[in-house]
């Protein structure tokens, strides 16, 4: 017979009591927490659900006056009973597969998303339910914080208490944005397929459900392949979740995407669509807002927009006679931007000619093309001036071979010994490449980075002198870079957005104050401006001249391969007055043997002149500051102790090369097309030179 250990019994009783106390305390705490949670949920005001969406986002100009509203189409409500079951299933499958089971928040979904994100090392999956998405779109400011997420949970719970699942799904589908200016499922069905929502097929339902994630990137009107792939993802999820059979999946996945209906006239509903597009892109890139957040959120966005300049720019781009004649089947396109170099504010921009579709390709900010000789002041002459070279120093313009790279001038001529001033004014190519070789490619790379031009190691070749970049630049990139010359060597980051507020006045984002970046010495900037004034006065940029208004600028062109040097792929002019920088690109979107420019570099300069002339109408005529002598040869610019990272590194010494002096020709070359090196030829430091980069087709 076992004996009971009398000493252990009290210990077990004490432990039992402790466990009971902990359990009771936990239960009381949970009950109290649940009660508090219930009170917080009860306090949420969701009356706005009864009001139509979207709430308009209002854009204000630089003077604080309303410029335009992002308020596309009033949603056309659909009833739940009119919605095809396969449409509801498709949305549930891809957006919230436990929608009909959870009570507003999905703990399983959140846990699954967290695990996926932890395993991938980044955020690839969200845990928001359809109810939470509805709450966020209707009620919340667009701050990306845990506080906002908590509010989202409370609102979702209140919505679930007050509405049933059918009502929630109906409100959600009637209020979300499907791209192409289509708010709500009825409008989306009409825009994409020319039919009522009740008649959508399985294939069409899956495609529209897939668009919800990223309307601009998945619109079948702009991105047919991406939309089709996304449709396949939705259909596979429906099959995996038992909503459709394998045969239905296969049939719908094979079905061609046949678009019908007509695109909504967003242009009539909203002014300045290209500028608004730039705002949406900037809100995403700089402040983390999604397109839907900007489109839905009822925000107040204060912009750097000058409506007079924007209207002037749009008038110029509506005039066909300002531009060269186009091929019969493709319009010569253009993008332009106007920036105040003193604060970086984007005053106006136009992203293309012809129709201005909302969220269409915006050449002012999205374009990536080689800048040609507009890079010379940035990648060659600015760093040379920083190292003590002056406009009167001499360079050789004679045939040269850098390990297989043989740059040539436009027209193929040579001019012997020329001054740096004349080499810039007439845009000679060979002296620019020689000078970059002398100061070192690293000096050109560093200078380009300081001026805000993003480069890669593949750009570390001598063709950098002539704008032979791997990826290319946009007009906005070039306007910001040249703004440093106009602003005494300080580059102001270009921005369209000054600040963003929620509908109730809460500050969500603001452009940083005192954001100037010391890019080069004021003496270098003023000297460059003085030379670039001569480019306009009697060099390759004469066609850009603005009468008596001081103007500095640079032309740029790139060759179209296979045209014997006569065809142009890209045509640029970047110029500035003391108060405004303008950058203009001209070319075909899709260049080929039948589509290239046959004009000279004067074409973009002529567009620039019309654009700046209109934009500066009524603005004061300002003079550039006098250009002092730049530092003595081989001496660094004075160190003011600021911005250590921006200080130019020391370069190689330069010895004047002997050679016979040739006077400047009576007429400068018609253009300044860079001649790119042959593929595989070694460049400076043994790096191969790239072939001409053709940019995005």
């Amino acid at each position: 017979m076992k004996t009971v250990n009398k000493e252990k019994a009290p210990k077990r009783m004490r432990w039992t009591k402790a466990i009971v106390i902990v359990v009771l305390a936990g239960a009381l705490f949970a009950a109290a927490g649940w009660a508090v949670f219930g009170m917080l949920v009860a306090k949420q005001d969701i009356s706005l659900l009864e009001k139509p969406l979207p709430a308009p986002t209002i854009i204000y100009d630089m003077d604080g006056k309303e410029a335009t509203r992002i308020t596309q189409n009033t949603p056309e409500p659909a009833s739940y009973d009119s919605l095809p079951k396969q449409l509801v299933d498709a949305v549930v499958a891809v957006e919230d597969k436990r929608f009909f089971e959870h009570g507003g928040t999905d703990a399983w979904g959140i846990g699954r998303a967290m695990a996926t994100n932890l395993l991938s090392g980044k955020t690839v999956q969200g845990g928001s339910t359809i109810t939470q998405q509805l709450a966020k779109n209707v009620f919340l400011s667009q701050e990306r914080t845990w506080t906002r997420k908590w509010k989202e949970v409370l609102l979702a719970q209140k919505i679930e208490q007050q509405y049933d699942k059918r009502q929630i799904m109906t409100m959600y589908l009637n209020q979300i944005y499907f791209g192409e200016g289509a708010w709500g499922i009825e409008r989306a069905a009409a825009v994409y397929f020319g039919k009522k929502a009740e008649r959508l097929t399985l294939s069409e339902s899956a495609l529209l459900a897939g668009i919800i994630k990223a309307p601009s990137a998945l619109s079948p009107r702009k991105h047919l392949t991406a939309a089709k792939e996304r449709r396949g993802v939705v259909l596979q999820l429906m099959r995996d979740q038992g909503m459709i059979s394998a045969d239905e999946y296969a049939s719908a996945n094979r079905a061609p995407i046949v678009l019908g209906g007509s695109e909504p006239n967003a242009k009539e509903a909203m002014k300045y669509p290209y500028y608004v597009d730039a705002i949406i892109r900037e809100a995403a890139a700089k402040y983390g807002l999604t397109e839907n957040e900007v489109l839905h959120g009822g925000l107040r966005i204060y912009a750097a927009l000058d409506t007079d300049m924007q209207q002037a720019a749009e008038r110029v781009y509506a005039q066909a006679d300002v531009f060269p004649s186009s091929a019969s089947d493709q319009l010569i396109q253009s993008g332009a931007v106007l920036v105040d170099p003193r604060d970086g504010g984007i005053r106006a921009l136009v992203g293309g000619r012809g129709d201005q579709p909302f969220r269409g390709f915006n050449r002012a900010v999205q374009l990536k093309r080689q800048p040609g000789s507009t890079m010379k002041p940035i990648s060659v002459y600015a760093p040379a001036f920083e190292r003590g070279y002056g406009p009167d120093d001499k360079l050789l313009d004679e045939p040269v071979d850098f390990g297989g790279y043989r740059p040539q001038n436009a027209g193929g001529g040579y001019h012997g010994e020329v001054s740096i001033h004349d080499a810039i004014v007439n845009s000679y190519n060979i002296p620019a490449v020689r000078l970059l070789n002398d100061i070192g490619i690293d000096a050109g790379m560093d200078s380009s980075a300081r001026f805000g031009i993003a480069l890669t190691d593949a750009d570390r070749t001598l063709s950098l002198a002539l704008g032979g970049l791997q990826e290319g630049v946009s007009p906005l990139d070039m306007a910001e870079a040249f703004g440093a010359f106009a602003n005494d060597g300080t580059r102001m980051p270009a921005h369209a957005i000054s600040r963003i507020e929620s509908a109730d006045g809460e500050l969500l984002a603001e452009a940083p104050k005192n954001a100037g970046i010391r890019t080069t010495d004021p003496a270098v900037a003023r000297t460059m401006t003085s030379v670039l004034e001569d480019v306009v006065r009697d060099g390759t940029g004469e066609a850009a001249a603005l009468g008596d208004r001081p103007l500095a600028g640079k032309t740029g062109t790139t060759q179209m391969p296979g045209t014997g040097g006569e065809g142009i792929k890209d045509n640029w002019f970047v110029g500035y007055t003391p108060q405004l920088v303008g950058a203009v690109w001209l070319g075909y979107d899709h260049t080929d043997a039948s589509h290239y420019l046959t004009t000279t570099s004067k074409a973009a300069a002529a567009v620039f002149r019309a654009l700046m002339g209109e934009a500066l109408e009524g603005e004061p005529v300002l003079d550039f500051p006098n250009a002092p002598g730049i530092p003595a040869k081989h001496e660094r610019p004075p160190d003011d102790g600021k911005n250590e990272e921006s200080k130019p590194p020391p370069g190689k010494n330069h010895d004047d090369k002997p050679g016979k002096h040739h006077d400047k020709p009576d007429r400068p070359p018609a253009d300044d097309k860079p001649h790119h090196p042959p593929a595989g030829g070694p460049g400076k430091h043994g790096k191969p030179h790239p072939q001409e980069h053709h940019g995005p087709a």
Side-chain angles (χ1 to χ4, degrees):
M1 183 175 180
K2 293 183 179 179
T3 58
V4 178
N5 189 328
K6 295 182 179 181
E7 295 181 358
K8 290 185 177 181
K11 289 183 178 180
R12 283 198 298 270
M13 291 181 65
R14 287 196 295 272
W15 276 108
T16 301
K17 288 180 180 179
I19 291 171
V20 170
I21 290 171
V22 169
V23 170
L24 288 174
L28 287 172
F29 183 79
W34 185 252
V36 171
F37 179 74
M39 288 189 292
L40 291 173
V41 169
K43 290 175 63 177
Q44 304 305 309
D45 180 7
I46 59 173
S47 59
L48 279 176
L49 282 176
E50 304 299 332
K51 297 182 180 180
L53 283 186
T57 287
I58 303 176
I59 310 288
Y60 297 93
D61 68 13
M62 61 182 291
D63 296 321
K65 298 177 181 177
E66 182 176 328
T68 188
R69 293 185 174 215
I70 306 177
T71 172
Q72 292 303 95
N73 305 103
T74 301
E76 302 172 28
S79 67
Y80 187 86
D81 290 337
S82 70
L83 298 175
K85 181 179 184 300
Q86 57 205 14
L87 171 65
V88 174
D89 287 346
V91 174
V92 169
V94 72
E95 291 294 319
D96 182 6
K97 73 176 185 179
R98 297 187 66 252
F99 171 71
F100 287 102
E101 301 168 26
H102 62 65
T105 55
D106 184 4
W108 287 106
I110 293 171
R112 183 176 62 252
M114 290 179 63
T116 302
N117 295 339
L118 286 172
L119 288 173
S120 65
K122 58 182 178 180
T123 302
V124 297
Q125 195 175 103
S128 290
T129 64
I130 284 175
T131 314
Q132 287 175 273
Q133 291 178 46
L134 178 63
K136 178 179 66 175
N137 289 339
V138 176
F139 301 105
L140 299 178
S141 65
Q142 308 308 311
E143 57 182 342
R144 304 176 74 81
T145 64
W146 287 108
T147 301
R148 196 219 68 185
K149 194 69 176 177
W150 173 243
K151 291 179 182 177
E152 183 182 298
V153 170
L154 295 176
L155 287 164
Q157 290 294 317
K158 182 66 175 286
I159 292 170
E160 291 276 349
Q161 289 176 7
Q162 193 158 323
Y163 297 96
D164 63 32
K165 293 290 187 179
R166 291 160 57 99
Q167 292 173 311
I168 293 170
M169 176 61 72
T170 304
M171 287 186 287
Y172 177 74
L173 287 176
N174 279 334
Q175 295 171 350
I176 56 176
Y177 184 60
F178 285 90
E180 303 297 337
W183 298 93
I185 187 61
E186 283 291 2
R187 189 61 180 158
V191 165
Y192 290 110
F193 303 114
K195 60 173 64 174
K196 299 285 289 182
E198 63 186 15
R199 296 178 51 233
L200 290 169
T201 66
L202 172 58
S203 172
E204 293 164 347
S205 296
L207 185 140
L208 292 180
I211 288 176
I212 295 171
K213 177 184 178 182
S216 64
L218 296 171
S219 164
R221 291 195 179 277
K222 298 189 184 79
H223 309 286
L224 185 60
T225 300
K228 187 174 183 179
E229 291 175 355
R230 180 69 174 167
R231 181 190 68 176
V233 170
V234 176
L235 289 169
Q236 183 172 331
L237 288 171
M238 295 178 73
R239 182 193 62 186
D240 294 345
Q241 294 171 32
M243 296 174 174
I244 58 175
S245 67
D247 289 342
E248 288 173 317
Y249 162 79
S251 176
N253 201 35
R254 285 195 305 267
I257 296 176
V258 180
L259 299 176
S262 60
E263 296 185 56
N265 194 347
K267 185 177 179 181
E268 291 182 2
M270 180 182 61
K271 294 180 180 178
Y272 321 132
Y274 281 123
Y275 198 103
V276 172
D277 172 81
I279 285 175
I280 294 171
R281 295 181 190 283
E282 188 173 305
K286 291 186 178 180
Y287 305 116
L289 300 179
T290 66
E291 177 180 289
N292 268 3
E293 286 171 333
V294 177
L295 293 173
H296 281 300
L299 306 180
R300 303 295 180 261
I301 300 179
Y302 293 84
L305 170 68
D306 184 313
T307 53
D308 289 337
M309 290 188 179
Q310 181 66 32
Q311 290 167 12
E314 293 183 4
R315 283 196 302 270
V316 169
Y317 269 66
Q319 300 170 25
D321 58 356
V322 174
F323 298 86
S325 298
S326 304
S328 59
D329 60 341
Q330 190 181 159
L331 188 66
I332 290 177
Q333 272 299 347
S334 182
V337 63
L338 301 177
V339 176
D340 190 327
R342 300 165 296 187
D343 64 7
I346 300 173
R347 300 294 181 238
L349 64 81
V350 179
R353 299 177 63 203
D355 291 336
Q356 298 184 29
F358 180 53
R359 304 299 280 138
F361 183 60
N362 193 335
R363 296 163 191 83
V365 297
Q366 288 182 277
L367 185 83
K368 291 296 180 184
R369 292 291 186 99
Q370 291 183 341
S373 291
T374 58
M375 272 297 287
K376 290 175 181 175
I378 296 167
S379 62
V380 180
Y381 294 113
F385 288 169
E386 289 168 349
R387 284 156 177 77
Y389 289 82
D392 294 331
D393 285 337
K394 299 295 190 271
L395 300 170
L396 276 180
D397 183 16
E398 293 180 349
V400 65
D401 186 331
F402 295 104
Y405 176 33
R406 303 178 184 89
Q408 297 179 8
N409 295 317
Y414 306 99
H415 309 89
E417 188 180 69
V418 298
S419 68
I420 287 180
H421 172 277
D422 287 357
I424 297 173
V425 168
N426 297 307
S427 202
Y428 299 149
N429 290 333
I430 295 172
V433 178
R434 281 184 179 273
L435 185 53
L436 180 60
N437 184 68
D438 286 348
I439 65 175
I441 295 176
D442 285 344
M445 294 285 289
D446 170 74
S447 179
S448 300
R450 283 186 280 119
F451 278 86
I453 304 299
L455 301 178
T456 68
D457 194 56
D459 295 310
R460 198 179 298 276
T461 72
L462 287 176
S463 61
L464 172 64
L466 308 182
L469 308 184
Q470 290 293 312
E471 183 178 27
V473 295
S474 69
L476 183 59
D477 295 330
M478 297 307 292
E480 180 180 318
F482 271 64
F485 295 133
N487 196 38
D488 253 3
T490 297
R491 174 169 61 87
M492 304 300 293
H495 61 277
I497 297 171
S498 298
R499 72 181 189 274
I500 303 175
E501 296 177 358
S502 66
D504 57 5
E506 179 185 2
L507 182 64
L508 304 180
E510 189 170 22
K513 306 295 185 183
N514 303 316
I517 302 167
R518 178 179 178 259
T519 301
T520 191
D521 191 84
V524 171
R526 294 184 183 189
T527 300
M528 185 66 72
T529 295
S530 177
V531 178
L532 293 180
E533 282 189 276
D534 288 344
V535 170
V536 176
R537 187 176 293 114
D538 44 33
T540 59
E542 287 177 313
L546 298 174
D548 294 332
R549 187 182 291 275
L551 176 70
K554 186 72 188 75
T555 53
T557 57
T558 64
Q559 283 184 338
M560 181 65 191
T563 62
E566 298 301 317
I568 296 173
K569 182 175 182 290
D570 305 291
N571 187 194
W572 293 83
F573 190 85
V574 186
Y576 54 94
T577 66
Q579 72 265 53
L580 196 65
V581 185
V584 173
W585 167 84
L586 203 63
Y588 282 103
D589 282 342
H590 307 286
T591 54
D592 54 34
S594 302
H595 300 92
Y596 56 86
L597 302 175
T598 56
T599 59
T600 68
S601 59
K602 294 181 179 180
V607 175
F608 175 93
R609 179 179 60 194
L611 179 69
M612 289 284 279
E614 286 262 4
L616 290 169
E617 184 72 30
E619 294 290 324
V621 175
L622 304 179
D623 292 322
F624 291 113
N626 292 330
I630 65 173
K633 186 171 287 190
H634 311 314
E635 290 181 2
R636 294 281 301 281
D639 182 4
D640 62 359
K642 298 179 182 178
N643 197 357
E644 287 292 327
E645 292 183 356
S646 72
K647 295 178 183 177
K652 297 183 178 181
N653 285 342
H654 167 73
D655 294 316
D656 288 339
K657 305 280 181 72
K660 184 177 179 181
H661 177 72
H662 289 249
D663 292 332
K664 185 173 67 175
D666 293 334
R667 296 183 62 188
D671 56 28
D672 54 349
K673 292 172 280 189
H675 293 257
H676 296 282
K684 187 75 171 176
H685 311 306
K687 298 276 186 182
H689 291 289
Q691 290 179 296
E692 180 180 14
H693 179 66
H694 297 289

